[in-house]
Amino acid sequence: MQNFNLIDQPWIPVRWTTGSETTHPRLVSLGDAFRRGHEIAELDCAPHERIALTRLLVCITHAALGAPEDSEDWDGFGDDVHTKVPDYLNRPDIYPHFNLLGDGPRFLQEEVVATKDPVPCSKLIPYLATGNNPTLLDHSGMNANRSYSKASIALALLTFQNFYPLYGAGYKGRGPCSDSNTIHTLICGSSLGQTICLNMLDMESIESLSPNGIGKPIWECQSKDELEESTQTYLGRLVPRHRSLKLSDDLKGFYHQKDSLQYPGWEPFREPSSTIILNKKEERRILPARPERAIWRDLHSITSLHLTSGKSHLRAEAPSILESHSSLLEEETLPLWTGALITDLKAKILDTVESTFTIPYGMLTEDGRHVYASGIEHAETVSQKLYGAIKSYWGALKHETPPVGEGQKHYWHRLDQEHKELIRLAGDPEARRGQASFGEANAKDLWTELVRDAAKAAYNSVCPRTTPRQIQAYAAGIKLLMRALFPKKKTSKDYAPQTV
């Protein structure tokens, strides 16, 4: 049995800035990820794996280098990552904690009582059919003879500890990254080394985010009390151990126990990559990912760098990493990656989502976000009118189950392909000054036209007109929709005082 130390052995999937897999390996070790971070373009993995790996790399870098005092002290910070971080990892008191196997300390594992039948390791991997995971892409289920590479299990274990919700009967804990289906936002750099530094926090941001301060990573904790305290500190939460388990030596299964570390969710602890919004009841909530709602529809919340008490659609708090690197606002654009793992109320894993955006400077201003939020509000208003028009059509035909869902899916799918136009408009708020608001009768902007075209196409897709009866129903529905898309232009008579 080999220890398979993650500092030396390749297990992190990456994409290089130059070269191919024949000259550059697809998997690298932790040591090489830091030593050659300037040569690596990005991580090459699923959304939930990218989030977990980024948190690990950020945590290790903080542990080795500390953090700047505030957001103004980033100049030069991290220039020595390629030397100081490998030195930290190779310290005698740190190195053994990154063994995946062996008799000593193990990475994100602890000693538990071995049972006769371990849980199959497929339970660590959400896209494999195990338990209530679907068999769409996998049919081997809980096959006891299934084998896994050490590299794949290392990545699966890290992701499991970050994300898996409510696993096991009677177990109430959850990975901090899975709380409320959080949309995680990361800043993208030109290389992996730069990306790591861009997703770190300064001390001022850490203290505002974590009431118990920066703390220490779990592999530095020496006692039970320190382990308990780590669940409420910044570094302790970046790489959690929310489930007490130990891998079997053949890597086909793992042993676990009910008792484990409990990581408090939102609120009071907020993850640095999460966005906070205010609902209609003025309650603070995490911005969640939803299968039916593309992430671009919430960009005005994700980029809201200051809590605004004026316009309700701007009342949000951007991820702490954006606040900490506010100096980036001086650049022309800000590259962002967003992603999430989505579960239902019973903790069944439904899907993973991810999106990348190039945000122009203008959209990071309040005027830019107001333009963007207004465009989203207009699109959602038209979606509601489309709902009513489709209901009217099928109601006229006495149909009890109108396909309103299909129509709205068609509508939003069209806008999903065109959302960059709204980002462009929001990036130049000055160009919209003096123009009509989105959706008004005299509005001539491209976004209003795109919304109109998408609504008409969606209505036509589910409301055929091939028979006289269908034509009559079509006319009733399209009349409602066209009133919404082309509202009557108000004249001076509309503003005249009414007599009774």
Side-chain angles (χ1 to χ4, degrees):
M1 178 181 62
Q2 297 179 353
N3 291 341
F4 194 81
N5 192 284
L6 306 185
I7 297 172
D8 299 329
Q9 300 297 324
W11 64 285
I12 301 174
V14 298
R15 186 178 296 118
W16 298 83
T17 54
T18 59
S20 62
E21 286 192 20
T22 58
T23 57
H24 294 73
R26 180 178 177 270
L27 301 178
V28 298
S29 65
L30 273 174
D32 283 340
F34 288 104
R35 279 188 291 267
R36 305 183 65 182
H38 61 286
E39 302 177 59
I40 299 172
E42 61 179 350
L43 299 171
D44 185 19
C45 50
H48 55 301
E49 296 170 340
R50 178 188 293 263
I51 296 165
L53 279 170
T54 301
R55 289 166 67 93
L56 172 65
L57 297 173
V58 166
C59 182
I60 293 173
T61 307
H62 270 303
L65 304 182
E69 287 299 318
D70 55 43
S71 60
E72 302 297 327
D73 293 335
W74 284 107
D75 286 345
F77 186 89
D79 291 347
D80 51 359
V81 162
H82 62 289
T83 58
K84 284 194 173 181
V85 175
D87 289 344
Y88 166 81
L89 290 172
N90 284 290
R91 279 170 34 184
D93 59 325
I94 301 298
Y95 183 86
H97 292 274
F98 286 85
N99 286 330
L100 187 67
L101 299 169
D103 296 330
R106 291 189 178 192
F107 182 66
L108 298 185
Q109 301 170 63
E110 61 179 306
E111 288 297 329
V112 298
V113 178
T115 57
K116 182 179 179 181
D117 298 316
V119 178
C121 272
S122 56
K123 196 66 178 177
L124 299 175
I125 306 174
Y127 52 80
L128 299 183
T130 309
N132 63 355
N133 287 356
T135 60
L136 177 62
L137 301 176
D138 175 66
H139 297 275
S140 296
M142 300 175 71
N143 186 347
N145 295 320
R146 196 172 206 166
S147 60
Y148 309 90
S149 68
K150 296 181 179 68
S152 63
I153 290 299
L155 181 56
L157 174 63
L158 174 66
T159 307
F160 178 89
Q161 297 287 24
N162 274 274
F163 274 96
Y164 266 64
L166 303 177
Y167 172 74
Y171 179 66
K172 302 302 182 184
R174 68 176 71 227
C177 290
S178 63
D179 195 10
S180 302
N181 290 340
T182 307
I183 293 178
H184 294 268
T185 301
L186 303 174
I187 303 174
C188 301
S190 58
S191 66
L192 178 61
Q194 187 181 47
T195 296
I196 293 170
C197 291
L198 288 175
N199 289 283
M200 298 172 68
L201 297 183
D202 60 86
M203 287 301 298
E204 186 177 344
S205 299
I206 291 172
E207 291 171 358
S208 65
L209 182 73
S210 174
N212 292 326
I214 188 169
K216 62 174 65 175
I218 194 169
W219 53 82
E220 291 188 14
C221 296
Q222 301 294 324
S223 65
K224 183 177 180 181
D225 289 341
E226 287 187 342
L227 286 172
E228 292 289 346
E229 183 181 350
S230 72
T231 65
Q232 303 182 42
T233 64
Y234 171 60
L235 293 186
R237 294 174 64 87
L238 278 180
V239 186
R241 195 184 70 194
H242 95 281
R243 190 64 175 167
S244 297
L245 61 84
K246 183 177 181 180
L247 296 170
S248 62
D249 293 341
D250 59 6
L251 291 183
K252 292 184 178 180
F254 63 89
Y255 309 99
H256 66 93
Q257 64 187 26
K258 177 179 177 181
D259 296 330
S260 187
L261 296 175
Q262 301 291 310
Y263 289 83
W266 170 259
E267 185 166 29
F269 294 95
R270 170 188 173 190
E271 299 310 309
S273 55
S274 64
T275 302
I276 304 303
I277 57 176
L278 299 182
N279 62 16
K280 295 180 180 179
K281 297 182 180 179
E282 302 296 321
E283 298 170 331
R284 289 158 58 85
R285 292 286 184 267
I286 290 177
L287 177 64
R290 286 161 281 186
E292 74 284 355
R293 184 182 177 93
I295 296 176
W296 67 268
R297 293 165 63 181
D298 291 305
L299 270 182
H300 53 287
S301 296
I302 293 173
T303 58
S304 185
L305 295 177
H306 303 285
L307 184 65
T308 306
S309 58
K311 305 177 180 67
S312 60
H313 49 252
L314 297 181
R315 294 182 302 170
E317 293 181 46
S320 299
I321 57 171
L322 296 187
E323 296 282 3
S324 184
H325 293 274
S326 56
S327 59
L328 292 174
L329 301 186
E330 299 174 1
E331 305 292 336
E332 292 184 0
T333 58
L334 178 65
L336 296 180
W337 179 95
T338 57
L341 183 143
I342 304 176
T343 66
D344 63 12
L345 295 177
K346 295 182 179 180
K348 180 180 179 180
I349 296 174
L350 301 178
D351 202 357
T352 58
V353 296
E354 65 177 327
S355 296
T356 56
F357 305 98
T358 301
I359 307 299
Y361 165 77
M363 186 174 165
L364 297 171
T365 65
E366 185 164 327
D367 287 343
R369 291 196 303 272
H370 174 61
V371 170
Y372 194 88
S374 298
I376 297 296
E377 184 177 356
H378 169 59
E380 290 178 344
T381 299
V382 171
S383 175
Q384 295 171 1
K385 300 298 183 181
L386 173 65
Y387 179 97
I390 296 173
K391 288 273 288 186
S392 175
Y393 172 93
W394 290 98
L397 296 178
K398 308 301 182 183
H399 200 288
E400 295 182 356
T401 56
V404 291
E406 294 179 21
Q408 291 194 313
K409 185 182 295 184
H410 189 286
Y411 169 76
W412 284 112
H413 181 65
R414 281 282 291 265
L415 293 184
D416 286 345
Q417 301 173 60
E418 306 289 351
H419 74 273
K420 290 183 180 179
E421 174 59 26
L422 183 57
I423 294 178
R424 187 191 67 79
L425 291 173
D428 189 13
E430 292 294 328
R432 287 202 52 79
R433 291 190 184 277
Q435 294 189 22
S437 299
F438 294 115
E440 290 189 356
N442 54 341
K444 298 180 180 180
D445 60 273
L446 184 54
W447 180 249
T448 297
E449 293 298 327
L450 289 171
V451 170
R452 288 169 177 167
D453 291 344
K456 290 185 286 185
Y459 181 79
N460 290 335
S461 70
V462 295
C463 299
R465 52 186 189 281
T466 57
T467 68
R469 191 160 171 255
Q470 286 179 341
I471 292 173
Q472 187 176 14
Y474 182 91
I478 198 67
K479 184 177 181 180
L480 295 176
L481 183 59
M482 297 304 283
R483 283 178 181 173
L485 298 180
F486 299 93
K488 179 182 177 182
K489 185 176 181 180
K490 292 184 177 180
T491 62
S492 58
K493 293 182 180 180
D494 296 313
Y495 298 97
Q498 301 295 316
T499 57
V500 179

